Amino acid sequence: MNFPLRNIIILVLLALAGIFLWQVYWLHGLYKSERTSLEKTIKDVMTYCDFAETEMRFKHIKTDGKFNGSIRVNTYKELDNLNKRGTVNSQVIKERESKQGTVADTALVKESDSKDSTLTILVHLVEIARRQLHAQMDKIARIDLQVYDSLLTARLDSAGINVRHQLSLCIDGRTAAKRGSAGFRPDGGSERFVLELYSEGADRITQYVLLTEPLTRTLLIQMAGILTASLLIFIIIGFVLWYLVYTLVRIRNLDEMKTDFSNNITHELKTPIAVALAANDALLNYGMDDNRQKRREYLGVCRGQLHRLSGMVEQILSMSMERRRNMVLNITDVSLKDTVSSLTHEHTLKAEKPVAFTVSIQPEDLTVRADSMHLRNIISNLIDNAVKYSNAEVSITINAAKTAGGVDIEVADNGIGIAKDKLRYVFDRFFRVADGNRYTVKGYGLGLYYVKTMTEKLGGTVSVSSVLGKGTTFKLHFNE
Ligand code: ADP
């Protein structure tokens, strides 16, 4: 199986970048529309509070008895002006003045029945009424900026807009009065909102000017939920894609390992068969069986190779879960002294380099309850690796001791060691350290897998510690 992994990674990164950019674009659009809506809310609040302040002023002068008449608002002229200026040009407004000629008696007949158009005209009417009301009221009683400010602050607060501000009343371009939040000094970053009260010519304008802190913080607080959700979604998608690539990389590595395994195992299986056959041929065809000593020697070679083969077959079979489940173990008290000494002898003969063994078994008659064949294979694999993954010479120390909880067996070498980041994989099926001796030393990544699965099957545990360039120690523990 050949995965175009590079292309998949590129596609995944592109997809992630696309999702990220789309989210940024979408959030930016949302931020802009939220900003527009917030600005509109502030303007609406200013207008609402303006009405409220005018009304309070009106009630005040009425109760004080300073004013006894009524204020009339006539929208006819302004609506006509607006219509001429094209502000409501989609409408044909016919106004029928009633006998009294007040706003309430003005009738509007529209050609379009759309609700939006009616609303537009109503908004204009209200705006005209507000301006006219101001123009007349302000002559009777002066604007109370303190009242307007407290109304505005309360209303902004209840709308969830907690920004410090400064409010000014500007008449004909000059600041007539100022109020605002304590300690707030407007600067270049402040937001500016203007509510025109009325005008009596181009440069004779009365207006409220509201300067606030930047709205970004308020907007971000309002958008906190959606921002968190977007971030979470992005993280989840990122994690899923990362997991996909991680899984593909693992599958590819396993695939490579399996290919390596097939290549190596064929070779490994052929060698003992060829050697055993050659020894057998020598006995059968060249009359070696007459010579007792030669016969024993050749039969010994055959036996050794068959042992090797059986060990390999055991390891291959250990891969199958089914077999592990149905495996029948022959548990006995296995003498460690006998097992270890036979193994050291075998490996000293077999090794193609000088091997020095240091063995300590405490007490000497120490036994382990295990299947002798499998325990032998386990220790043999550890010794085999110690020899394989070492330099020109190797020292192997085997310590077996009785502990409080059972028996510990240590196989330590002074070989090439294993890098820290590879240590946790060494017991995985088909795993071989990629650098070091991988290509010069034969192997198929099953030895330690067998060690672990069989040790666990026997009720024990195995652990490893290693220092790169210094050596490796495998520790087996079996319960009593
Ligand atoms: P292999 O057939 O490759 O020896 P193993 O499962 O026995 O397979 O070992 C897995 C890998 O762990 C080896 O390829 C080797 O890189 C590393 N390894 C195992 N034992 C040792 C050791 N004693 N010293 C250094 N590296 C080791």
Side-chain angles (χ1 to χ4, degrees):
M1 233 189 306
N2 192 13
F3 285 104
L5 202 61
R6 218 173 122 247
N7 296 351
I8 292 176
I9 292 176
I10 291 174
L11 279 178
V12 163
L13 288 178
L14 281 177
L16 261 185
I19 293 168
F20 181 73
L21 286 178
W22 170 249
Q23 286 220 359
V24 170
Y25 173 75
W26 179 73
L27 285 173
H28 183 248
L30 187 72
Y31 176 84
K32 270 170 64 180
S33 80
E34 287 282 317
R35 190 179 181 88
T36 312
S37 138
L38 185 63
E39 285 171 358
K40 188 175 173 312
T41 309
I42 293 177
K43 281 180 190 158
D44 288 349
V45 168
M46 284 178 84
T47 312
Y48 175 87
C49 293
D50 183 40
F51 269 121
E53 189 274 336
T54 315
E55 190 188 355
M56 281 173 81
R57 234 181 325 146
F58 186 71
K59 280 184 185 157
H60 212 67
I61 54 174
K62 275 270 200 192
T63 44
D64 280 3
K66 285 182 188 162
F67 179 69
N68 252 336
S70 63
I71 293 174
R72 285 189 166 196
V73 176
N74 189 336
T75 59
Y76 170 74
K77 233 169 73 193
E78 277 82 354
L79 264 182
D80 206 32
N81 282 344
L82 286 173
N83 199 20
K84 276 181 199 147
R85 290 212 309 261
T87 318
V88 284
N89 56 5
S90 60
Q91 319 299 323
V92 176
I93 303 156
K94 292 181 188 160
E95 191 172 279
R96 176 167 46 87
E97 266 227 290
S98 73
K99 288 170 207 139
Q100 289 84 13
T102 59
V103 174
D105 295 326
T106 304
L108 298 170
V109 181
K110 301 180 280 93
E111 273 181 0
S112 156
D113 275 341
S114 119
K115 278 185 184 163
D116 281 358
S117 312
T118 316
L119 206 67
T120 313
I121 294 166
L122 278 175
V123 167
H124 280 295
L125 277 176
V126 170
E127 181 60 14
I128 290 161
R130 191 181 65 80
R131 283 160 180 262
Q132 287 204 5
L133 211 56
H134 250 295
Q136 296 180 51
M137 268 292 298
D138 292 5
K139 282 182 189 124
I140 304 163
R142 289 172 61 178
I143 292 172
D144 191 338
L145 192 66
Q146 188 176 346
V147 170
Y148 181 69
D149 185 44
S150 46
L151 285 169
L152 187 78
T153 309
R155 192 88 189 165
L156 285 176
D157 271 358
S158 66
I161 306 167
N162 299 308
V163 279
R164 292 189 304 160
H165 65 268
Q166 188 190 76
L167 180 71
S168 323
L169 173 67
C170 297
I171 303 173
D172 305 341
R174 276 177 291 108
T175 305
K178 230 185 227 179
R179 297 211 51 93
S181 320
F184 174 63
R185 297 212 167 282
D187 55 25
S190 303
E191 314 272 345
R192 190 166 190 271
F193 300 90
V194 176
L195 180 72
E196 201 173 298
L197 305 183
Y198 59 92
S199 63
E200 292 166 322
D203 52 355
R204 298 212 53 205
I205 304 169
T206 301
Q207 59 191 14
Y208 286 134
V209 176
L210 175 71
L211 294 169
T212 69
E213 285 178 328
L215 298 175
T216 320
R217 206 174 132 255
T218 312
L219 280 163
L220 288 180
I221 291 172
Q222 279 180 6
M223 289 173 65
I226 204 133
L227 283 173
T228 317
S230 299
L231 190 72
L232 271 178
I233 291 170
F234 185 73
I235 290 174
I236 291 170
I237 293 175
F239 176 76
V240 168
L241 291 177
W242 169 82
Y243 197 71
L244 174 86
V245 171
Y246 172 78
T247 311
L248 285 178
V249 169
R250 285 207 63 165
I251 292 174
R252 196 194 60 171
N253 287 349
L254 199 67
D255 195 50
E256 275 178 16
M257 287 172 178
K258 277 185 179 165
T259 314
D260 270 10
F261 167 72
S262 316
N263 295 342
N264 289 335
I265 196 77
T266 337
H267 181 85
E268 294 274 305
L269 286 174
K270 268 165 92 180
T271 314
I273 295 172
V275 174
L277 267 178
N280 212 9
D281 273 358
L283 281 176
L284 283 177
N285 302 332
Y286 301 104
M288 296 285 190
D289 52 341
D290 294 341
N291 184 333
R292 210 164 168 257
Q293 199 199 333
K294 284 278 176 203
R295 193 173 65 209
R296 275 190 72 83
E297 193 185 319
Y298 279 58
L299 282 174
V301 171
C302 282
R303 194 168 182 272
Q305 295 307 316
L306 286 175
H307 261 308
R308 201 172 149 193
L309 252 173
S310 124
M312 279 185 213
V313 170
E314 265 313 314
Q315 290 182 27
I316 297 165
L317 291 178
S318 75
M319 282 195 298
S320 143
M321 276 306 281
E322 195 53 34
R323 178 180 147 87
R324 253 181 285 153
R325 234 177 275 131
N326 301 331
M327 186 186 283
V328 181
L329 295 170
N330 180 18
I331 305 288
T332 53
D333 286 324
V334 185
S335 157
L336 278 172
K337 187 170 177 255
D338 292 350
T339 312
V340 172
S341 64
S342 126
L343 282 171
T344 50
H345 180 67
E346 191 181 296
H347 281 276
T348 317
L349 288 178
K350 200 174 95 178
E352 288 158 1
K353 59 171 105 163
V355 183
F357 281 103
T358 311
V359 179
S360 153
I361 293 168
Q362 292 297 335
E364 226 176 274
D365 60 350
L366 187 61
T367 56
V368 179
R369 282 203 64 74
D371 180 299
S372 69
M373 193 252 300
H374 288 297
L375 183 69
R376 197 188 146 84
N377 282 344
I378 290 170
I379 302 173
S380 177
N381 277 353
L382 296 179
I383 298 175
D384 203 37
N385 280 351
V387 177
K388 281 197 301 187
Y389 303 106
S390 58
N391 301 313
E393 295 181 9
V394 59
S395 293
I396 302 173
T397 308
I398 303 176
N399 287 328
K402 195 170 170 58
T403 59
V407 174
D408 280 354
I409 306 166
E410 263 182 22
V411 179
D413 64 60
N414 62 346
I416 60 169
I418 304 168
K420 214 172 166 188
D421 59 324
K422 305 287 182 332
L423 261 188
R424 60 194 168 124
Y425 301 116
V426 291
F427 295 108
D428 287 358
R429 212 164 20 154
F430 303 124
F431 179 83
R432 304 198 69 208
V433 176
D435 39 10
N437 291 8
R438 177 173 176 172
Y439 298 106
T440 48
V441 175
K442 284 191 196 81
Y444 34 90
L446 277 182
L448 290 181
Y449 175 72
Y450 172 83
V451 168
K452 187 170 165 65
T453 47
M454 274 323 299
T455 305
E456 283 170 1
K457 183 85 189 162
L458 293 171
T461 54
V462 58
S463 58
V464 59
S465 60
S466 184
V467 179
L468 198 61
K470 290 256 159 74
T472 307
T473 303
F474 286 92
K475 189 170 173 180
L476 303 166
H477 174 82
F478 293 97
N479 295 327
E480 266 181 321

